[in-house]
Amino acid sequence: VSGSNIVIGSECQQLLLADDGSDFRPAKQFNAAEAQLTLTVNGYRLLMLPFAAELPQGVYAYSIGADMTLQPLTAIPAHQPVLVEAQGAVVLKGSGAVSFARSPLADLLRGTYTQIPLYEGDYLLGNQNGEWGFVRQNTSATLTPFGVYVQLSSTASFIPLNLSVTGITDVRHDADAQSVPLYNVMGQRVGKSH
C-alpha cells in the first residue's frame, strides 16, 4: 500500500495536511518520512504544527513569551504555538515524529489540531487600523485546526502586539574592519595584537 496520508504500523511516507478546516487527530504517534502543511498567511498568523518544520525562504517564525516579547526561530517546533510572518501561500515541510497534543490550560497561547469553540473573552490575532494585535471575541466562534487563540486577563477589545524582535540572532563580520582603529574599554587606542 502506498500513497499520501497512509500510516502503516508507525510509519507514513507522505503526510499532506491542508488548512481546509479538517480535524487532525491521529490515534497514536507515528513517523513521517515527509510531512507538510499548506496554508495561507496574509502578513501574520498564529499556528501550531503536529510536526517540526523548516522555514521556507521568505517565511519567518517567532515564539511569543509570557511578557509578549518575540523571539525569532530558525525552525518551527512541534506542538508550540508560533507567530508566522509571510505573504500568500506557504508550504511548511518537515519529517520525523507526528502526533496529537493539547496546549496546557495554563499556557497563554493555546493551539489546536481540531475545531474547538471559542468563548466570549478569548482573543485572536487580528489587524485593526493597520496594527497587529489580539482582538477580544465578543461572541462565541470556532477556531479551525492548526489555529491558536490567546487567553488574557483583560477586558480590552484590542491589545497591540509589539512586533519588534528582541535578542541578537545574527552577527556578521565586516571585512573592512581590518582598517578600523581599535580601542580598549578605557577608550585608549590599541594595536591589532591587543
Side-chain angles (χ1 to χ4, degrees), residues 74-108:
T74 57
I76 298 175
H79 314 302
Q80 179 181 330
V82 297
L83 178 68
V84 172
E85 179 183 4
Q87 196 63 47
V90 174
V91 178
L92 299 171
K93 295 181 180 182
S95 62
V98 179
S99 63
F100 178 84
R102 292 191 172 162
S103 295
L105 292 178
D107 285 359
L108 174 72

Side-chain angles (χ1 to χ4, degrees), residues 49-119:
L49 296 178
F51 57 88
E54 301 167 0
L55 287 173
Q57 187 172 357
V59 177
Y60 305 94
Y62 310 92
S63 64
I64 301 177
D67 59 355
M68 304 300 260
T69 58
L70 300 182
Q71 293 293 327
L73 300 170
T74 57
I76 298 175
H79 314 302
Q80 179 181 330
V82 297
L83 178 68
V84 172
E85 179 183 4
Q87 196 63 47
V90 174
V91 178
L92 299 171
K93 295 181 180 182
S95 62
V98 179
S99 63
F100 178 84
R102 292 191 172 162
S103 295
L105 292 178
D107 285 359
L108 174 72
L109 301 170
R110 298 181 187 158
T112 183
Y113 302 135
T114 60
Q115 290 188 32
I116 61 168
L118 292 176
Y119 301 101

Side-chain angles (χ1 to χ4, degrees), residues 172-188:
R172 296 188 180 142
H173 174 67
D174 188 354
D176 293 335
Q178 304 293 336
S179 61
V180 176
L182 302 174
Y183 298 89
N184 65 16
V185 293
M186 302 287 288
Q188 302 163 325

